[in-house]
């Protein structure tokens, strides 16, 4: 796995020391909140509804067992024994005390982690496909490119005061598990005539004006990628609006300026910047790539896997939903669901973090991933260990066989934590999961992505949910708006609103009506909810949602 | 449009050190319980209290006036957001509800 350099280490330590001084001066009164707030945000420290919150970056979602154990230690020592994994491959601690945060940051630095650029108008934590380097059918491991971007963007003097936050995602797989089309820049690694490169998408984003990214360059050779990206961000830095924060994102710039004009300016900027890159970036990329070399895969990894599957229906159901095909023979990619029915999506207790760390270390080449879907992954697991891993996960309450199903919901913290929220998200997710568990319908319904946000900022990705739920405040009452047909994959689309929203106690029955309508209308089990939506369109679902007669008949 | 009539409010903020929710009590201290807050019934003193709270930035963060009504034990929230702030999150017994 990648090891951070000594430069990183001393840079991070000096930032922590600096912040320690700033916290001390805030507490003794020599800094006002207005002076302190930008400084704390530069170090990932927010103020939420009931407490502070520390957001820690997990670049491209990759961790080893030592890092995971340190997160558990931090959760126990300075928080309430758990952490919340987010859609941006970060972990958030919800209850730190102001005076403890410098110690938390030092503890993170001990394992090469930090909270720098997890907030503010900078290039944020770079995200990537959580199955990177493991999935069958991958064109290239996106993590070396993501790490190169991390090093280039961290503390980049030109890009510390962008018009707005800036998010980059990278995928190296045609399935696009990184939702690249919903990012300021999305990179899709491809190969043309033996030359590695990337398709560059620009101007995607969710929030109050959701937009799907447009192709800015069909192919940029990797050798040119960094100067090209720098040109894109430089053009945005110049053109991006600063008069209105809602119009400051690059999606608006692309929309207002036009993709052709942006492309022309980027090309000109690229031509000017390219000669300034002496090739050091390519040496760095080569060195980084070498460090991301895959583990030495065992030759006889399969063991008795198929025998266990045949003998044990619980194990079989678990592997059916939670295992993805690995590129090495006899290996599995295992997704560990953090969505036990009724649990808070993305939350992981310190005890569970330690179990996951132990399993990764003992059985799975010491690697873990955090997905934007708020689950944890063992990317390289020999199938002969799957039984032992399943047993350990069962004991830790981590063996829920629901990956990709109704209850595998993305939910932002919503009004239970977030100061910006207009309604709650977590109890809605909990309620849906429990209801479909009770109905025993989740496996019958099959692949489905439900995503929930507690306000229009769309941290829960609701626009690209097959079913999206947006929490709103309607005259002091929680109300929920539903969108259907969104998709975050390679042909990403924004979902369509069904119509008027639903009250808090009506949203779960409303979701049930949609899914019962799907079961009645589908052509067979092979037709997923999304496929059925694409065939049928809004009308039948709208009828199921709003037709009072039908709703009453259903309830009877 | 005629000016909106003034409705009663409490002054609330987050404590500097812990980040938890506090309200201004009648004697000027920050209380952790909304029932002990002062219900501010006239507009002029609401504005004065807010100015004063901003001046006490070494104690609290982000003070603002929140709608409230008179209840049997003291001020009560009128909006669900303020109600959550008196309790804590709904998924765990954390926050203020922890101590009850
Ligand atoms: C205190 C907690 C949080 C605050 C204050 C916050 C704030 C925001 C704001 C203001 C935006 C809108 C930006 C814009 O589009 O202009 C946003 C977007 C976003 N946030 Fe959060 N957020 C929080 C927690 C989270 C969490 C927990 C997640 C993951 C579960 C997350 C992931 C995202 C994502 C993916 C977007 C997407 C919008 C885009 O396309 O840029 N945030 N957040
Ligand atoms: S979507 Fe809104 S409520 Fe949810 S975390 Fe983001 S800012 Fe907070």
């Amino acid at each position: 796995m990648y090891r951070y350099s000594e430069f990183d280490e001393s840079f991070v330590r000096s930032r922590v020391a600096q912040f320690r001084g700033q916290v001390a001066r805030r507490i003794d009164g020599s800094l006002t909140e207005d002076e302190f707030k930008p400084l704390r945000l530069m170090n990932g420290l927010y103020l939420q509804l009931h407490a502070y919150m520390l957001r820690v970056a997990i670049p491209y979602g990759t961790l080893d067992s030592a890092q995971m154990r340190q997160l558990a230690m931090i959760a126990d020592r300075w928080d309430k024994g758990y952490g919340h994994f987010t859609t941006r491959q970060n972990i958030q601690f919800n209850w730190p005390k102001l005076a403890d945060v410098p110690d938390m940051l030092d503890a993170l630095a001990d394992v090469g982690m930090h909270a720098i650029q997890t907030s503010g108008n900078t290039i944020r934590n770079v995200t990537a496909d959580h199955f990177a380097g493991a999935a069958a059918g991958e064109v290239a491991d996106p993590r070396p490119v993501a790490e190169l971007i991390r090093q280039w963007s961290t503390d980049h003097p030109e890009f510390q005061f962008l018009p707005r936050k800036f998010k980059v995602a990278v995928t190296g797989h045609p399935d696009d598990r990184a939702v690249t089309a919903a990012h300021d820049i999305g990179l899709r690694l491809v190969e043309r005539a033996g030359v590695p490169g990337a398709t560059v998408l620009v101007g995607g984003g969710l929030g109050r004006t959701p937009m799907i990214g447009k192709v800015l360059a069909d192919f940029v050779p990797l050798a040119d990628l960094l100067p090209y990206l720098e040109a894109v961000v430089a053009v945005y830095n110049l053109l991006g609006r600063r008069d209105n924060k809602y119009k400051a994102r690059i999606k608006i710039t692309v929309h207002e300026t036009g993709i052709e004009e942006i492309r022309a300016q980027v090309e000109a900027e690229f031509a000017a910047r390219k000669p300034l890159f002496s090739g050091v970036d390519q040496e760095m990329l080569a060195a980084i790539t070498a460090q991301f070399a895959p583990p030495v895969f065992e030759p006889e990894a399969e063991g008795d896997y198929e025998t266990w599957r045949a003998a044990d229906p619980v194990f079989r159901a678990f592997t059916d939903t939670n295992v993805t095909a690995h590129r090495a023979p006899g290996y599995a990619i295992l997704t560990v669901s953090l969505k036990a029915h009724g649990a808070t999506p993305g939350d992981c207790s310190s005890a569970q973090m330690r179990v996951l760390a132990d399993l990764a270390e003992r059985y799975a080449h010491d690697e873990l991933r955090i997905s934007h879907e708020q689950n944890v992954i063992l990317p390289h697991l020999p199938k002969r260990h799957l039984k032992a891993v399943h047993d350990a996960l069962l004991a830790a309450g981590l063996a829920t066989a629901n990956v990709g199903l109704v209850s595998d919901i993305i939910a932002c913290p919503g009004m239970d934590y977030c100061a910006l929220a207009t309604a709650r998200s977590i109890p809605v997710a909990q309620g849906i999961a429990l209801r479909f568990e009770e109905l025993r319908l989740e496996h019958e319904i099959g692949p489905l992505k439900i995503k929930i946000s507690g306000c229009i900022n769309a941290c829960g990705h609701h626009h690209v949910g097959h079913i999206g739920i947006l929490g709103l405040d309607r005259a002091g009452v929680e109300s929920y708006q539903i969108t259907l047909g969104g998709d975050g994959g390679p042909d990403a689309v924004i979902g369509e609103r069904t119509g008027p929203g639903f009250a808090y106690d009506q949203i779960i029955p409303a979701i049930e009506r949609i899914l019962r309508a799907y079961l009645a209308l589908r052509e067979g089990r092979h037709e997923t909810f999304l496929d059925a939506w694409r065939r049928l369109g809004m009308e039948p679902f709208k009828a199921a949602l709003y037709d009072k007669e039908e709703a009453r008949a259903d309830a009877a | 449009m005629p000016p909106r009539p003034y409705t009663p409010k409490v002054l609330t903020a987050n404590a500097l050190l812990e980040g938890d929710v506090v309200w201004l009590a009648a004697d000027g201290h920050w209380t952790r319980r909304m029932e002990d807050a002062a219900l501010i019934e006239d507009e002029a003193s609401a504005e004065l209290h807010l100015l004063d709270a901003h001046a006490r930035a070494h104690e609290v963060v982000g003070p603002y006036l929140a709608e409230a009504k008179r209840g049997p034990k003291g001020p009560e929230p009128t909006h669900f957001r303020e109600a959550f702030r008196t309790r804590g999150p709904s998924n765990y017994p954390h926050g203020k509800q922890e101590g009850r």
Side-chain angles (χ1 to χ4, degrees):
Chain A
M1 238 183 61
Y2 186 74
R3 294 276 154 234
Y4 292 117
S5 66
E6 275 168 44
F7 168 78
D8 273 314
E9 161 84 19
S10 62
F11 166 72
V12 171
R13 292 283 179 199
S14 70
R15 275 288 290 267
V16 177
Q18 210 178 50
F19 188 53
R20 192 178 289 283
Q22 292 160 350
V23 169
R25 281 183 284 142
R26 175 69 182 100
I27 291 174
D28 76 19
S30 42
L31 282 178
T32 65
E33 184 61 20
D34 285 350
E35 290 161 339
F36 180 65
K37 187 175 174 183
L39 302 174
R40 73 165 152 78
L41 288 175
M42 279 175 72
N43 291 283
L45 184 63
Y46 285 74
L47 187 65
Q48 301 200 105
L49 211 55
H50 314 291
Y52 288 97
M53 179 272 277
L54 181 66
R55 179 182 290 159
V56 176
I58 302 170
Y60 33 89
T62 298
L63 281 171
D64 65 16
S65 59
Q67 291 172 319
M68 190 66 128
R69 282 195 195 99
Q70 192 76 341
L71 295 177
M73 189 282 281
I74 289 169
D76 281 340
R77 185 146 170 208
W78 294 293
D79 208 271
K80 291 188 189 287
Y82 75 100
H84 177 73
F85 291 111
T86 81
T87 46
R88 302 223 66 259
Q89 294 177 315
N90 296 313
I91 183 169
Q92 297 186 168
F93 293 106
N94 282 324
W95 305 93
K97 298 193 174 60
L98 180 57
D100 289 338
V101 175
D103 289 343
M104 296 170 83
L105 293 176
D106 256 329
L108 289 166
D110 289 345
V111 291
M113 296 180 78
H114 59 73
I116 294 166
Q117 289 181 213
T118 59
S119 179
N121 295 334
T122 59
I123 299 174
R124 299 287 188 89
N125 184 33
V126 180
T127 55
D129 181 358
H130 41 263
F131 294 164
E138 185 175 79
V139 178
D141 186 336
R143 291 173 304 157
V145 168
E147 173 59 23
L148 183 71
I149 296 170
R150 186 190 75 86
Q151 294 191 12
W152 158 78
S153 64
T154 300
D155 223 28
H156 192 302
E158 189 181 347
F159 302 138
Q160 294 308 302
F161 295 96
L162 293 171
R164 201 71 174 81
K165 60 169 143 177
F166 201 88
K167 299 175 179 179
V168 183
V170 196
T171 182
H173 196 287
D175 282 352
D176 192 358
R177 282 171 287 260
V179 207
T180 56
H183 285 76
D184 295 290
I185 293 180
L187 298 176
R188 296 174 171 177
L189 302 184
V190 287
E191 215 179 87
R192 293 280 155 86
V195 179
T199 299
V200 180
L201 280 78
V202 71
L206 303 176
R208 74 170 60 206
T209 320
M211 287 191 191
I212 296 299
K214 296 186 172 71
V215 175
L216 183 65
D218 200 43
F219 184 77
V220 175
L222 278 196
D224 290 340
L225 189 65
L226 222 42
Y228 191 85
L229 289 183
E230 194 163 290
V232 178
V233 186
V235 166
Y236 163 62
N237 203 12
L238 201 67
L239 296 183
R241 289 179 57 169
R242 291 173 191 262
D243 57 320
N244 174 339
K245 76 180 233 190
Y246 304 115
K247 295 192 171 170
R249 299 295 290 269
I250 195 172
K251 61 189 172 188
I252 307 292
T253 313
V254 170
H255 186 72
E256 290 183 347
T257 311
I259 187 85
E260 285 77 22
E261 174 61 22
I262 297 280
R263 188 177 294 123
Q265 294 200 19
V266 168
E267 297 287 337
E269 193 65 40
F270 170 68
R273 285 183 186 245
K274 165 102 174 119
L276 306 176
F277 282 72
S278 57
V280 176
D281 60 314
Q282 289 309 296
E283 287 166 26
M284 274 165 65
L285 182 60
I288 293 167
T289 306
Q291 288 208 48
F292 278 104
V296 180
F297 295 120
E298 301 177 6
E300 305 290 332
E302 172 108 9
D304 293 328
Y305 176 67
E306 288 302 338
T307 319
W308 297 326
R309 266 178 61 85
D312 178 353
V314 175
F315 180 73
R316 186 164 65 243
F318 174 75
T319 55
D320 278 347
T321 49
N322 296 28
V323 164
T324 307
H326 198 284
R327 66 181 195 214
Y331 270 74
I333 300 172
L334 181 67
T335 300
V336 178
S337 167
L338 295 181
K339 321 288 177 65
H341 299 97
T344 302
D347 277 7
C348 194
S349 72
S350 52
Q352 291 175 328
M353 288 181 210
R354 288 195 188 92
V355 168
L356 291 164
D358 290 349
L359 293 175
E361 186 175 48
R362 186 147 169 216
Y363 299 117
H365 299 277
D366 204 21
E367 257 199 71
L368 295 146
R369 304 285 172 77
I370 307 304
S371 73
H372 82 271
E373 290 170 320
Q374 304 183 286
N375 291 318
V376 181
I377 289 137
L378 296 176
H380 305 300
L381 179 62
K383 287 181 175 170
R384 70 189 180 87
H385 295 313
L386 250 162
K387 190 94 178 82
V389 168
H390 182 236
D391 290 345
L393 292 174
L394 273 173
L398 285 169
T400 314
N402 66 343
V403 171
L405 304 181
V406 174
S407 58
D408 185 7
I409 297 171
I410 296 180
C412 82
M415 199 174 289
D416 287 309
Y417 296 89
C418 181
L420 302 178
T422 43
R424 285 173 297 172
S425 307
I426 292 168
V428 175
Q430 291 173 310
I432 293 170
L434 288 171
R435 177 65 183 145
F436 283 90
E437 163 83 344
E438 177 184 52
L439 295 171
R440 305 257 164 239
L441 273 181
E442 136 158 276
H443 288 269
E444 181 63 33
I445 291 165
L448 179 68
K449 292 185 191 295
I450 301 182
K451 306 185 192 226
I452 310 177
S453 305
C455 80
I456 56 169
N457 287 322
C459 302
H461 284 189
H462 65 275
H463 296 112
V464 290
H466 303 167
I467 299 179
I469 302 175
L470 165 62
L472 297 166
D473 176 343
R474 286 278 173 265
V477 177
E478 286 169 293
S479 169
Y480 295 86
Q481 189 161 73
I482 297 175
T483 52
L484 297 178
D487 182 16
D491 305 309
V493 278
I494 304 289
E496 276 175 54
R497 269 186 220 166
T498 58
F502 294 85
Y504 181 74
D505 61 354
Q506 287 305 309
I507 182 66
I508 291 161
I511 300 300
E512 187 176 331
R513 288 204 294 284
I514 292 172
L515 289 176
R516 286 194 188 277
Y518 154 67
L519 289 175
L521 293 163
R522 71 182 179 185
E523 286 180 329
R525 282 193 75 124
H526 65 276
E527 193 182 38
T528 63
F529 174 81
L530 193 60
D531 290 341
W533 155 266
R534 285 176 177 161
R535 178 171 60 85
L536 295 160
M538 178 66 92
E539 280 321 307
F541 296 101
K542 214 168 161 166
L545 266 178
Y546 297 106
D547 186 329
K548 294 287 180 324
E549 295 308 309
E550 202 169 307
R552 254 183 246 125
D554 266 4
Chain B
M1 254 188 6
R4 285 250 232 86
Y6 177 83
T7 47
K9 294 182 178 53
V10 288
L11 184 77
T12 181
N14 288 74
L16 172 64
L17 293 179
E18 312 258 320
D20 60 334
V21 179
V22 293
W23 293 268
L24 187 71
D27 66 359
H29 86 280
W30 296 105
T31 170
R32 257 71 180 166
R33 290 159 38 97
M34 190 176 181
E35 294 101 272
D36 301 335
L39 190 67
I40 310 170
E41 310 215 52
D42 76 289
E43 188 155 14
S45 73
E47 293 306 321
L48 275 179
H49 281 309
L50 188 59
L51 277 176
D52 181 46
H54 277 292
R56 292 168 68 180
H58 50 292
E59 300 168 13
V60 293
V61 183
Y64 63 94
L65 293 161
E67 294 290 326
K69 61 177 188 232
R70 186 177 296 283
K73 291 197 205 136
E76 289 175 359
T78 58
H79 187 280
F80 65 94
R81 182 179 194 271
E82 294 306 314
F84 293 146
R85 291 178 79 245
T86 69
R87 291 199 293 271
S90 24
N91 58 338
Y92 303 118
H94 291 160
K96 297 198 181 302
Q97 58 203 338
E98 201 161 19
R100 291 197 186 153

